[in-house]
């Protein structure tokens, strides 16, 4: 094979030069090649190294050699006259066989490479077909400058692992080598077919062993006396067996074979009967050792004699599973020559022997041996025959299938990213691995997609058979080097198997102290990507410690299957987290951010979203005229974006209706109409009828009266200053949206220092708790008069709220204050314009007493205009009230329901400028309707009077 530098200066050649000079290489090089270059450099290999290790102690009669020789002979004939060289190496990279298309081609190689024995493992030869196929465990193509060594720059090769069809273990590597110019995509098909031919020959070796065992079993009973009425096989029994029973018998038989020793096991059937399976070690004349499994059944014998089948199928491509022989009713004998791929009839037509089992001969109750002469007759027959190693493979395959079935039920039970990752680890330990670590980007944990998972991995799960291993702790950001299996997994998106961690290039260099301690406990590693919908979400690392056998390709496939299922659940949880975060952000943006400054009540509030989804719970605090305060709490039916958006509309409308100074029952009526209209206008939303509940309370600190009305909402809790807790019996009212039914109000006196708790049903309603019990817990949590509103909220959430709320919870706690009577001044006067001056004078004296001389001018003008309007356009009696709080409030009430309207007076109008003047002087003004009459009020700021 010609040697020397690659030419061209572009593509892999240029990238290789940059790599050897220490420059970064990203584009233009396949991930598997770049990973191999990095491993080669970390191993200290030189690209100029010419010699390779040579072994002369390899097995020249290995199974792979016997299976590959005929296939290589055919390949040599096919490629005769070409510059193709064909090699077969063992699982360690040692070349066992070599063929050349041209005999002269061998003379171009160094002398020691012309014969079997030189080693092409990656750890000694760098990037090459055989070494990389063993490292990647798949079909590999290495072309020209992709080789690490200078000696191979002008060649190309394709290599494919050859596996034992029974165990899935790599037995060797088939490699095609050829000049770079002879590259042909059809070689991939050829090498696959050749490898399959070698694998079929390996399987044929196993099939012959199985046939020898079956013949040996039958030969042992050639001279034994046989009771035809006491002979039965599994298929005869299977005619009446439940499918579950057949599966249990097959699994137990495989388990007995895998043990490789004499044993017995009692299997209970679905109908209450018991079958005893007895394993008997045996040896064929050719030296093949195996186990025969026979069934012993109590009960009456069948009416007709039973015999083994007249022929046993050995189909092409025999799967290597345990040879299963079943007894059926004797068919018509067929000559042996009629089925060339089946065992001779003369050998298999003998009846099953009645073999003595020692203490296992007959089985009584509970599986205890019973050789009593009066015991009922027993039937027995052959179930399975096979080699222990094959039984081990079958048992392992069944257990892998069971693990996958269990994973389907255990992984993805919640929509929480961390919990789903934890479920993957708990499923894998200890049945697949002894320790599992899972690393996810921080973006995935937040519900987003990671831009580059390689730079943003955080340890999310550490789980194992014990907790004393030096893994990075949960929550820590983990940084992996470029040659570690984890980065190779993320870069290629493929599972990476490291059977021997001590030989894993780049892994030890990552953190010498950390990995050295870890290697005293673990010895084998599988890293699998968590990929869902084409997006890499993170990686899962499976470590083996207790089992001395390293991980194999079957384990890698199992780990990848588990990770694939878990990744889909993690991605679902991630998408749900993103949606939930969006809805929660919307929900919180629609709730009050800052409570208004006021003196009527001291407020504390809490909002707790549900674990599974966000709903439409809300609360609000609205300052009203006359130092009053409005308290809202509501709950929109349902969860998700629609509920949150509906809540925003409802809260905005409720605030608007409240600021119009409507009483609680009218506010609820308007909200009821709004919800009904929303339901009619959005029938395509697909969420059914929109509904909501609400409670609205207005507290007046001047009279300490609280007026409340509710629409299908839980009643509030009232805590008096002495600690007495009660739940006022308010008229329930229908939920919002039903329409047509009135709402009723209730008025309650609240002594100063009382606490009013408004809440949504998520606090008290839970399918696992009784409402009455919860209300008693709430009563106990509130019976602390010394608690502040903040302390009350905290206590209620800690003692009453469910640990895992399935519905939102909104809390609003208000501790009442009373306006000092000395800050209230009121006068009653008849509808006489002459009395206006008296009211002005009395008001000025009161303002002087309060020290509000600076506000006197504006207050005098506003009061004069309001009283004059009431006398001219209203009806008596007329009442004037001044309230000194954070602002100065002037109120004039009369018995008329006619409200004045602000307008701009024309220059020719004699009147109409009074309210315009009030609006200019006042900070705000408005009208409040009473049961009889109205109140016109104007508020004046004290700092800008």
């Amino acid at each position: 094979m010609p040697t020397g530098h690659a030419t061209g200066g572009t593509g892999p050649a240029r990238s290789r030069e940059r790599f050897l000079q220490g420059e970064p290489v990203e584009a233009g090089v396949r991930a598997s090649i770049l990973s191999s270059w990095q491993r080669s450099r970390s191993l200290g290999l030189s690209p100029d190294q010419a010699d390779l290790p040579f072994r002369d102690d390899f097995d020249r009669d290995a199974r792979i050699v016997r299976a590959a020789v005929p296939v290589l002979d055919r390949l040599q004939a096919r490629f005769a006259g070409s510059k193709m060289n064909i090699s077969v190496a063992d699982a360690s990279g040692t070349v066992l066989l070599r063929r050349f298309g041209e005999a002269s081609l061998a003379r171009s190689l160094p002398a020691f490479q012309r014969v079997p024995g030189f080693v092409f493992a990656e750890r000694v030869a760098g990037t090459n077909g055989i070494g990389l196929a063993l490292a990647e465990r798949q079909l590999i193509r290495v072309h020209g400058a992709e080789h690490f060594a200078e000696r191979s720059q002008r060649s190309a090769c394709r290599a494919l692992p050859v596996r034992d069809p029974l165990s899935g273990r790599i037995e060797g590597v088939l490699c095609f080598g050829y000049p770079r110019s002879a590259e042909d995509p059809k070689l991939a098909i050829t090498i696959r077919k050749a490898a399959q031919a070698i694998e079929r020959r390996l399987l044929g070796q196993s099939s012959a062993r199985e046939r020898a065992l079956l013949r040996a079993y039958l030969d042992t009973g050639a001279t034994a006396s046989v009771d035809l009425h006491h002979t039965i096989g599994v298929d005869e029994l299977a005619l009446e067996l439940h499918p579950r029973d057949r599966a249990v018998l097959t699994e137990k038989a495989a388990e007995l074979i895998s043990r490789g020793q004499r044993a017995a096991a009692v299997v209970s059937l679905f109908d209450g009967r018991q079958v005893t399976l007895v394993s008997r070690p045996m040896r064929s004349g050719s030296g093949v050792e195996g186990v025969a499994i026979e069934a012993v059944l109590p009960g009456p014998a069948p009416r007709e004699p039973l015999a083994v089948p007249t022929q046993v199928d050995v189909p092409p491509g025999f799967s290597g599973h345990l040879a299963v022989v079943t007894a059926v009713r004797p068919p018509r004998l067929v000559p042996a020559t009629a089925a060339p791929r089946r065992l001779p009839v003369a050998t298999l037509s003998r009846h099953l022997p009645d073999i003595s089992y020692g203490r296992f001969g007959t089985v009584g109750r509970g599986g205890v041996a019973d050789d009593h002469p009066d015991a009922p007759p027993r039937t027995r027959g052959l179930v399975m025959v096979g080699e222990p190693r094959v039984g081990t493979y079958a048992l392992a395959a069944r257990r892998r299938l069971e693990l996958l079935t269990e994973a389907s039920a255990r992984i993805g039970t919640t929509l929480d990213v961390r919990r789903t990752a934890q479920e993957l680890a708990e499923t894998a330990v200890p049945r697949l691995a002894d320790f599992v670590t899972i690393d996810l980007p921080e973006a995935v944990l937040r519900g987003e997609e990671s831009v580059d998972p390689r730079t943003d991995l955080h340890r999310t799960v550490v789980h194992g058979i014990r907790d004393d291993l030096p893994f990075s702790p949960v929550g820590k950001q983990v940084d992996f080097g470029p040659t570690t299996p984890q980065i190779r997994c993320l870069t290629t998106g493929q599972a990476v198997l490291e059977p021997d961690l001590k030989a894993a290039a780049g892994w030890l260099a990552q953190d010498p102290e950390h990995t050295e301690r870890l290697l005293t406990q673990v010895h084998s590693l599988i890293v699998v990507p968590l990929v869902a919908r084409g997006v890499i979400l993170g990686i899962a690392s499976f470590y083996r410690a207790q089992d001395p056998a390293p991980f194999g390709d079957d384990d890698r496939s199992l780990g990848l299957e588990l990770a694939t299922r878990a990744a889909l659940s993690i991605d679902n949880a991630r998408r749900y987290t993103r949606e939930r975060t969006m809805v929660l952000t919307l929900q919180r943006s629609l709730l009050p951010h800052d409570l208004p400054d006021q003196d009527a009540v001291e407020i504390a509030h809490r909002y707790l979203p549900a674990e599974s989804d966000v709903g439409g719970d809300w609360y609000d605090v609205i300052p009203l005229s006359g130092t009053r305060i409005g308290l809202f709490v509501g709950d929109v039916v349902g969860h998700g974006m629609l509920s949150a958006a509906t809540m925003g509309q409802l809260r905005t409308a409720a605030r608007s209706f409240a600021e119009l100074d409507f009483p609680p029952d009218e506010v609820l009526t308007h909200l009821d109409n709004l919800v009904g209209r929303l339901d009619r206008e959005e029938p395509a939303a697909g969420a059914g009828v929109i509904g909501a509940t609400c409670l609205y309370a207005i507290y007046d600190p001047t009279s300490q009266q609280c007026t409340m009305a509710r629409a299908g909402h839980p009643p509030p809790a009232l805590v008096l200053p002495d600690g007495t807790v009660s739940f006022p019996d308010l008229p329930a009212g229908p939920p919002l949206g039903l329409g047509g039914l009135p709402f009723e109000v209730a008025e309650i006196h609240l002594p100063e220092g009382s606490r009013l708790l408004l809440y949504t049903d998520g606090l008290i309603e839970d399918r696992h708790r009784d409402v009455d019990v919860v209300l008693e817990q709430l009563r106990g949590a509130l019976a602390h008069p010394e608690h502040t509103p903040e302390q009350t909220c905290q206590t209620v959430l800690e003692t009453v709220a469910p640990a895992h709320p399935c519905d939102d919870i909104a809390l609003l706690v208000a501790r009442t204050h009373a306006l000092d009577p000395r800050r209230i001044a009121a006068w009653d006067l008849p509808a006489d314009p002459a009395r206006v001056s008296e009211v002005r004078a009395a008001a000025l004296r009161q303002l002087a007493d309060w020290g509000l001389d600076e506000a006197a001018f504006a207050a005098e003008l506003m009061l004069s205009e309001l009283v004059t309007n009431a006398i001219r356009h209203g009806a008596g009696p007329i009442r004037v009230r001044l309230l000194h709080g954070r602002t100065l409030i002037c109120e004039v009430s009369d018995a008329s329901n006619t409200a004045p309207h602000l307008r701009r007076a024309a220059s020719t109008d004699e009147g109409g400028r009074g309210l315009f003047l009030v609006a200019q002087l006042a900070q705000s003004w408005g009208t409040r309707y009473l049961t009889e009459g109205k109140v016109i009020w104007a508020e004046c700021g004290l700092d800008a009077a």
Side-chain angles (χ1 to χ4, degrees):
M1 179 68 63
T3 61
H5 291 279
T7 59
T10 61
R14 175 58 181 159
S15 298
R16 179 175 175 274
E17 291 178 11
R18 294 178 58 193
F19 175 81
L20 294 177
Q21 294 171 3
E23 299 180 16
V25 178
E26 294 294 339
V29 180
R30 289 179 289 149
S32 60
I33 299 297
L34 180 58
S35 297
S36 181
W37 286 356
Q38 292 170 337
R39 293 195 297 272
S40 300
R41 182 168 60 184
S42 67
L43 290 167
L45 299 179
S46 170
D48 299 322
Q49 180 180 351
D51 297 334
L52 293 175
F54 181 82
R55 295 176 51 195
D56 57 5
D57 59 345
F58 63 91
D59 186 1
R60 288 173 169 77
D61 192 37
R63 294 179 64 224
I64 184 71
V65 172
R66 287 185 277 115
V69 166
V71 178
L72 262 63
D73 290 343
R74 291 197 299 270
L75 288 173
Q76 184 178 26
R78 175 173 180 175
F79 290 109
S82 71
K83 294 185 178 298
M84 177 72 69
N85 71 86
I86 307 154
S87 304
V88 170
D90 63 15
S92 65
T94 302
V95 174
L96 306 179
L97 296 170
R98 196 154 205 190
R99 299 286 190 274
F100 298 96
E102 289 183 359
S104 61
L105 187 61
R107 292 193 292 272
S108 65
L109 297 175
F112 74 93
Q113 291 190 21
R114 300 173 190 171
V115 294
F118 65 91
V119 181
F120 253 128
E122 188 184 63
R123 65 180 182 276
V124 295
T127 306
N128 69 88
I130 293 175
L132 192 53
L134 288 173
E136 297 290 335
R137 311 176 80 84
Q138 60 183 340
L139 178 62
I140 288 296
R141 180 179 69 88
V142 184
H143 187 270
E146 291 181 335
H147 289 87
F148 185 76
E150 295 286 353
R151 62 176 176 270
S152 303
Q153 297 293 289
R154 293 185 178 179
S155 64
C157 63
R158 291 180 184 266
L160 178 65
V162 177
R163 303 175 185 273
D164 183 338
L166 292 182
S167 65
R169 183 179 61 247
I170 292 178
E171 291 288 329
V173 177
L174 175 63
C175 181
F176 290 177
Y178 45 88
R180 287 186 304 164
S181 59
E183 176 64 49
D184 186 348
K186 295 180 181 179
L187 289 176
I189 301 176
T190 302
I191 196 171
R192 287 187 185 276
K193 290 183 176 180
Q196 291 171 1
I198 297 175
E199 290 174 349
R200 283 197 298 270
R201 291 184 59 81
L202 287 172
L203 184 59
Q205 297 175 15
S206 299
S207 302
R209 298 170 67 91
E210 299 289 353
R211 291 194 297 270
L213 283 174
L214 181 58
R215 185 174 291 109
Y217 173 83
L218 296 174
D219 288 343
T220 59
T223 60
S225 60
V226 179
D227 182 354
L228 298 182
H229 294 279
H230 292 176
T231 303
I232 192 168
V234 169
D235 273 2
E236 179 69 21
L237 179 64
L239 296 176
E240 53 181 302
L241 282 184
H242 190 278
R244 188 195 66 177
D245 291 334
R246 292 198 293 269
V248 171
L249 283 173
T250 304
E251 179 181 3
K252 182 57 68 174
E255 183 179 348
L256 289 174
I257 289 179
S258 67
R259 295 178 183 177
Q261 59 187 4
R262 189 175 180 84
V266 177
V267 180
S268 297
L269 302 182
F270 186 73
D271 58 4
R273 291 183 297 164
Q274 290 184 327
V275 177
T276 300
L277 297 181
V278 181
S279 64
R280 183 161 63 90
M282 51 188 295
R283 183 185 181 92
S284 71
S286 60
V288 179
E289 296 183 353
V291 176
I293 305 297
E294 296 162 319
V296 180
L297 295 87
R303 294 182 179 179
E304 300 181 25
L306 300 175
V308 296
T310 58
Q311 50 194 11
V312 176
D313 290 338
V314 184
F318 176 61
S319 66
H321 291 99
L322 302 175
V324 180
V325 180
T326 58
V328 297
R329 302 188 186 280
R332 180 177 56 86
L333 295 182
V334 181
T337 56
R341 286 281 302 160
R342 301 178 181 184
L343 296 183
V345 173
T347 302
L348 293 180
S349 60
R350 301 186 183 97
H351 298 300
L352 291 174
D354 189 3
I355 302 171
S356 174
Y357 295 94
R359 69 185 188 90
F360 299 120
T362 56
V363 179
R365 292 183 179 178
V368 180
D370 184 5
D371 292 320
H372 194 277
D374 295 332
R378 305 294 190 265
T379 57
R380 59 173 61 92
L382 180 64
V383 177
M384 282 186 178
V385 60
E387 295 181 79
R389 67 184 183 93
V390 181
T392 302
Y393 301 149
L395 187 61
R398 180 175 293 276
R399 288 176 176 172
R400 286 193 292 269
L401 182 60
E402 290 174 350
L403 180 58
L404 290 176
T405 302
E406 180 181 339
S408 300
R410 292 188 59 180
I411 300 176
T413 60
T414 68
L415 287 173
D416 181 83
V417 173
R418 289 180 174 84
R419 180 56 198 160
T420 303
Q422 182 70 32
E423 289 170 346
L424 168 60
E426 292 173 352
T427 302
V429 174
R431 297 170 66 177
L432 172 62
D434 297 316
F435 299 94
V436 176
T437 63
I438 298 177
D439 305 312
L440 301 176
E442 184 67 26
V444 172
L445 297 175
R446 295 194 305 265
E448 305 168 3
E449 290 187 8
S450 177
V451 177
D452 186 1
R454 295 175 296 181
T455 61
D456 188 31
L457 286 177
H458 286 71
R459 182 57 45 87
T460 306
V461 173
V462 176
H463 183 69
I465 55 178
R466 55 183 195 276
D467 302 327
D468 58 346
L469 264 66
F471 291 108
S472 299
V474 173
K476 181 180 179 181
Q477 183 170 356
V478 287
D479 297 316
F480 297 106
T483 60
T484 57
Q486 287 82 359
I487 291 299
R488 288 160 51 199
C489 174
L490 286 173
T491 302
T492 62
Q494 302 293 326
V496 175
L497 168 61
E498 291 290 355
D500 185 5
L501 273 178
K502 293 181 179 179
W507 195 75
L508 288 173
Q510 172 72 16
D511 185 353
E513 180 181 358
H514 177 269
T515 52
E516 186 175 354
R517 291 179 55 203
L518 198 56
L519 279 179
T520 62
Q521 304 290 337
V522 300
H523 60 81
S524 192
L525 168 66
I526 297 173
V527 184
V528 295
L530 298 170
V531 182
R533 301 178 177 96
V535 178
I536 297 181
L537 304 175
I539 55 173
S541 302
F542 302 93
Y543 295 88
R544 179 164 286 178
Q546 288 188 336
D547 190 343
F551 282 125
D553 286 290
D554 286 342
D555 299 311
R556 180 176 64 169
S557 299
L558 178 59
L560 185 60
E561 180 65 24
L562 289 176
T564 300
R565 299 188 182 199
L568 187 60
S569 296
I570 289 175
D571 191 52
N572 290 338
R574 179 191 66 82
R575 291 166 177 259
Y576 168 76
T577 300
R578 181 186 61 187
E579 296 297 329
R580 185 176 186 274
T581 301
M582 293 173 56
V583 175
L584 186 57
T585 300
L586 174 63
Q587 169 85 345
R588 293 191 182 280
S589 68
L590 296 176
L591 292 174
H593 296 285
D594 298 310
L595 297 181
D597 294 331
Q598 43 79 38
D599 295 325
V601 292
E602 180 183 350
I603 294 290
H605 57 89
R606 293 287 190 278
Y607 172 72
L608 184 65
E611 278 194 352
S612 59
D613 208 346
V614 179
D617 291 13
W618 57 281
Y619 59 87
D620 208 347
V621 179
I622 306 171
L624 302 175
S625 63
T627 69
R628 298 172 306 139
I629 194 76
L631 305 174
F632 268 112
V633 66
D635 183 4
V636 176
V637 174
H639 298 85
M641 189 73 73
L642 178 62
S643 295
T646 304
M647 178 274 291
Q649 293 176 290
L650 200 58
R651 175 179 171 255
T652 301
R655 172 174 282 270
S656 300
F657 296 145
E659 289 179 343
L660 290 174
D661 266 328
F662 291 144
D665 55 335
E666 292 189 24
V667 169
L668 294 183
T669 299
H670 288 296
L671 291 177
D672 179 60
N673 295 333
L674 173 65
V675 172
R677 186 166 61 253
L678 290 175
D679 189 49
R680 292 191 300 272
E681 292 175 353
E682 301 180 10
V689 176
I690 298 175
T693 65
C694 182
L695 189 151
Y696 180 37
I698 298 177
Y699 173 67
D700 188 347
T702 63
S703 62
Q704 301 177 37
Q705 293 294 113
C706 183
T707 305
M708 293 180 280
R710 64 188 180 112
H713 201 83
L718 174 62
V719 186
L720 297 178
D722 61 359
T724 303
V725 180
S726 63
F727 298 94
D729 186 15
L730 303 182
L736 299 177
L738 296 183
L741 297 176
F743 298 96
E744 301 180 51
V745 297
E747 190 167 314
I748 303 173
H749 180 74
L750 301 182
E752 184 175 10
S754 299
R755 282 175 294 158
L756 192 64
L757 173 68
L758 281 64
Y759 55 90
T760 55
D761 56 5
L763 178 66
I764 61 173
E765 293 183 4
D766 186 82
R767 61 178 177 269
H768 303 296
R769 303 187 301 171
D770 184 81
V771 174
D772 293 334
V773 175
V774 177
L775 290 177
E776 285 303 315
Q777 292 177 346
L778 180 59
R779 187 188 302 272
L782 295 176
H784 298 279
E786 73 281 1
H787 281 182
T788 64
E790 286 289 341
Q791 292 173 329
T792 301
C793 282
Q794 193 65 29
T795 301
V796 169
L797 289 181
E798 291 176 353
T799 60
V800 182
H804 303 284
C806 57
D807 195 6
D808 292 19
I809 298 175
L811 290 181
L812 189 64
V813 179
R815 183 162 63 183
T816 63
H817 298 299
L819 187 62
D820 191 340
R822 294 173 295 180
R823 290 177 170 261
I824 303 174
W827 301 274
D828 294 319
L829 68 157
D832 183 1
R835 304 292 297 273
V836 176
S837 59
E838 297 178 10
V839 173
R840 288 203 305 264
L844 290 175
R845 290 193 297 270
Q846 184 62 62
L847 293 176
D849 292 341
W850 288 341
L852 301 179
D853 294 329
E854 294 182 0
F857 176 73
E860 181 183 10
L861 287 178
M862 290 189 299
L863 193 61
S864 178
E865 291 296 335
L866 293 178
V867 172
T868 302
N869 280 341
I871 293 174
R872 287 183 176 180
H873 306 290
I878 297 173
R879 182 176 177 83
V880 178
R881 188 170 70 160
L882 295 180
L883 303 176
H884 179 201
R886 290 176 177 266
T887 59
L888 178 63
I889 301 173
C890 304
E891 295 183 345
V892 177
S893 61
D894 66 85
S896 171
N897 290 323
T898 302
H901 297 282
L902 178 66
R903 66 182 181 89
R904 183 177 294 277
S907 58
T908 57
D909 290 342
E910 295 184 0
R913 296 177 177 83
L915 283 182
F916 180 78
L917 180 62
V918 170
Q920 296 299 311
L921 295 174
Q923 185 172 286
S924 59
W925 73 279
T927 303
R928 179 171 74 249
Y929 289 94
L930 305 175
T931 305
E932 295 182 359
K934 64 180 182 299
V935 176
I936 309 297
W937 57 271
E939 186 175 335
C940 180
L942 300 180
D943 55 349

